[in-house]
Amino acid sequence: MKPIQVGLLGIGTVGSGTFNVLKRNQEEITRRAGRGIQITMVADLDVERARAVVGEGVQVVNDARAVIANPEIDIVVELIGGYGIAKALVLEAIAAGKHVVTANKALLAVHGTEIFAAAQAKGVMVAFEAAVAGGIPIIKALREGLTANRIQWVAGIINGTTNFILSEMRDKGLDFDVVLKEAQRLGYAEADPTFDIEGVDAAHKATIMSAIAYGIPVQFDKAYVEGITQLGAADIKYAEQLGYRIKLLGITKRVEGGVELRVHPTLVPAKRLIANVEGAMNAVVVQGDAVGTTLYYGKGAGSEPTASAVIADLVDITRLHTADPLNRVPHLAFQPSELSDLPVLPMSEVVTSYYLRLRVADKAGVLAQVTGILAGLGISIDAVLQREADEVAGEGSTQTDLIILTHDTREGTMNDALAQIQALPTVLAPIARIRKEELA
Ligand code: HSE
């Protein structure tokens, strides 16, 4: 049978990985797919670079629309990124009756509802395994492997840049700014790392996972997003002393009344496997009612790991493209007519436990004042750690750090408590508050 024809829009890191892996493993991939898969056309603004990657025999153009307009192309792979031109091209490809593979998490997290509806109406597939956690087949696992389960929660290290920075901060006891500069020098962090360090990239991925886990529309605008820029080396050290590691987690939970969807630095017990995921690696834990806890670990970025996911999608489409559209795996795991309107809860309704670090005057009654406020609001304390003043702020210091771990409480209640505690004259600096998850 004639190989399925693929057109790439963009041939940078992931595109060249896709081209090379497809070529290298062509024989096995064909045996799996039941038919050859061939990249026959590539669009890239840098035609010279594209030509250098693909050699002769592949048509290279600088106009993505020429790929979409080519009637020979069955699948369009969008590797441009962002919500601008990429959105227009994906919608045009769908309108032209092409199946689409994309690694674009930002596009799907923000415009997924529109894109999936367009694909559904046209009877084409939009596949996006590479959009979440790179080479880890987490979309496949959530959408198919765990389909028997009522998913209870998903928690993941889904941004390699920030996990690398946090690992370095812990290993070397350095502050965020210092490690970020080093990560940029080594090429681990982008020149503009905003989306990574502010948690936006992780929130895009968590949004996609929440939609698939619970059968709700993608709702990036409802996600709570907090990055790692405010995290101090002291908090990583204190967390360690209390038996925890700090990770930037993307979390989505099914709770009474709705769904939690949040990204923030999180204390995780050091004994959990996910707490020991270091460097730029990714990992996702999924809790299902039947299967219990499952863990997926691997490279979340990079040329060939991401290509691995892109090609898995190409194989899926090749196997399924002649199937009746109604018998294909739905984009968001649940049949489009069966999506739920379960609300994404505001952050004030989220229930979790907390790590608090307070710089306080080292004198009688301070701890009692603080615990009094917590008790007054019904917030239960799990552990308290107080350092020697000399150790914290130098010999003869009259200040010290008070670290408090709480039991579960509503975020809104914690906000009220923190406002009252911050107003105490004996609290001398802004309070550090980091959420804590036991992931049991
Ligand atoms: N910037 C992302 C990361 C790359 O650091 O994980 C993959 O989405």
Side-chain angles (χ1 to χ4, degrees):
M1 198 188 302
K2 183 178 160 216
I4 202 151
Q5 312 273 297
V6 178
L8 292 191
L9 309 186
I11 186 155
T13 310
V14 178
S16 40
T18 303
F19 185 82
N20 293 331
V21 175
L22 254 184
K23 198 165 148 194
R24 189 170 74 230
N25 296 341
Q26 192 174 37
E27 195 213 319
E28 287 205 32
I29 290 169
T30 305
R31 282 169 55 211
R32 289 185 174 121
R35 184 176 172 187
I37 298 175
Q38 233 174 36
I39 294 172
T40 53
M41 194 169 180
V42 171
D44 200 291
L45 292 176
D46 190 340
V47 171
E48 292 306 309
R49 187 191 58 181
R51 172 63 63 210
V53 176
V54 300
E56 297 305 318
V58 175
Q59 195 183 347
V60 179
V61 293
N62 67 1
D63 175 12
R65 291 194 164 95
V67 176
I68 295 170
N70 183 342
E72 294 297 314
I73 296 293
D74 303 296
I75 309 174
V76 169
V77 181
E78 182 274 306
L79 299 171
I80 295 167
Y83 338 89
I85 185 70
K87 181 187 174 199
L89 293 173
V90 164
L91 288 172
E92 285 172 33
I94 292 169
K98 313 290 186 194
H99 302 291
V100 173
V101 173
T102 178
N104 192 338
K105 58 254 167 169
L107 177 63
L108 295 180
V110 177
H111 299 292
T113 301
E114 181 183 348
I115 289 168
F116 296 135
Q120 192 68 27
K122 196 73 191 174
V124 296
M125 291 173 268
V126 174
F128 50 94
E129 184 62 71
V132 182
I136 304 175
I138 188 62
I139 300 299
K140 192 85 167 173
L142 278 170
R143 200 160 59 175
E144 297 176 54
L146 299 175
T147 198
N149 289 264
R150 189 173 158 85
I151 305 289
Q152 289 152 331
W153 54 262
V154 181
I157 295 173
I158 42 181
N159 181 269
T161 306
T162 43
N163 203 51
F164 174 82
I165 293 173
L166 292 176
S167 297
E168 289 288 292
M169 286 174 73
R170 187 177 75 85
D171 267 3
K172 302 184 176 153
L174 295 172
D175 272 318
F176 170 77
D177 296 338
V178 178
V179 177
L180 173 62
K181 284 205 182 74
E182 183 63 2
Q184 283 174 309
R185 196 182 65 76
L186 293 171
Y188 282 105
E190 310 236 0
D192 179 2
T194 316
F195 263 33
D196 292 320
I197 62 178
E198 298 292 359
V200 177
D201 176 74
H204 286 145
K205 296 166 182 167
T207 298
I208 295 170
M209 291 197 292
S210 75
I212 295 176
Y214 310 118
I216 57 174
V218 281
Q219 297 166 78
F220 173 70
D221 57 330
K222 307 265 176 63
Y224 174 80
V225 189
E226 182 182 316
I228 61 168
T229 55
Q230 301 305 314
L231 211 55
D235 295 313
I236 292 179
K237 186 183 73 184
Y238 290 141
E240 188 102 34
Q241 290 167 6
L242 289 157
Y244 291 86
R245 300 260 167 91
I246 299 180
K247 295 292 181 189
L248 183 73
L249 291 189
I251 300 171
T252 182
K253 281 189 192 182
R254 188 204 298 261
V255 294
E256 213 184 306
V259 165
E260 295 180 2
L261 175 55
R262 49 195 168 101
V263 169
H264 49 69
T266 313
L267 269 78
V268 180
K271 63 186 175 200
R272 299 271 178 268
L273 285 172
I274 195 169
N276 295 281
V277 171
E278 300 290 2
M281 300 304 280
N282 281 201
V284 182
V285 183
V286 182
Q287 168 88 20
D289 67 337
V291 73
T293 306
T294 54
L295 170 72
Y296 309 83
Y297 169 84
K299 289 185 179 154
S303 178
E304 294 205 356
T306 312
S308 167
V310 169
I311 296 169
D313 282 344
L314 291 175
V315 171
D316 266 356
I317 292 176
T318 305
R319 286 169 174 158
L320 287 173
H321 87 293
T322 51
D324 175 349
L326 294 175
N327 294 331
R328 293 178 187 149
V329 180
H331 293 112
L332 294 180
F334 291 71
Q335 298 299 332
S337 58
E338 297 298 324
L339 289 190
S340 147
D341 58 0
L342 214 54
V344 175
L345 298 174
M347 195 58 194
S348 57
E349 292 303 317
V350 161
V351 173
T352 187
S353 55
Y354 294 85
Y355 160 104
L356 307 174
R357 175 174 52 82
L358 290 70
R359 176 56 63 94
V360 295
D362 189 16
K363 60 183 188 189
V366 175
L367 180 60
Q369 285 177 320
V370 172
T371 56
I373 291 171
L374 292 173
L377 287 161
I379 299 173
S380 168
I381 293 170
D382 182 25
V384 177
L385 178 71
Q386 186 176 328
R387 309 309 303 169
E388 292 279 345
D390 290 356
E391 223 179 86
V392 171
E395 204 161 320
S397 169
T398 55
Q399 303 181 5
T400 192
D401 279 343
L402 189 59
I403 292 96
I404 299 174
L405 298 185
T406 75
H407 289 298
D408 277 354
T409 189
R410 253 185 75 252
E411 174 106 355
T413 311
M414 180 53 77
N415 291 343
D416 293 345
L418 290 183
Q420 289 183 39
I421 296 170
Q422 191 69 73
L424 293 172
T426 46
V427 174
L428 307 172
I431 300 167
R433 168 251 300 267
I434 307 175
R435 298 163 189 93
K436 178 164 85 61
E437 291 287 335
E438 293 299 320
L439 302 182

